[in-house]
Amino acid sequence: MTGLAGRAGLKGRGGDAGMSTSEYAMGTIAACAFAAVLYKVVTSELVSTALQSTIGKALDAPF
């Protein structure tokens, strides 16, 4: 395995172990944007009505 890694030029490349600060920042921005879109969808009138209907049916179900 050592010979294969040496031939492929991968032997001395150990400096890229994790994300850099800019990559963390981009990931955080993307997560916040996704959260904002999800919040808008969940708090929309259509979803709110559907959730209320589902919960109402579950509470009115006979045991």
Side-chain angles (χ1 to χ4, degrees), residues 2-52:
T2 306
L4 180 60
R7 278 182 268 156
L10 302 174
K11 189 173 182 180
R13 298 183 68 193
D16 194 20
M19 291 194 307
S20 66
T21 303
S22 61
E23 289 170 331
Y24 277 115
M26 292 303 295
T28 302
I29 291 170
C32 289
F34 179 72
V37 170
L38 187 61
Y39 177 77
K40 282 293 200 182
V41 169
V42 170
T43 58
S44 70
E45 187 66 32
L46 180 65
V47 174
S48 178
T49 304
L51 285 173
Q52 288 177 356

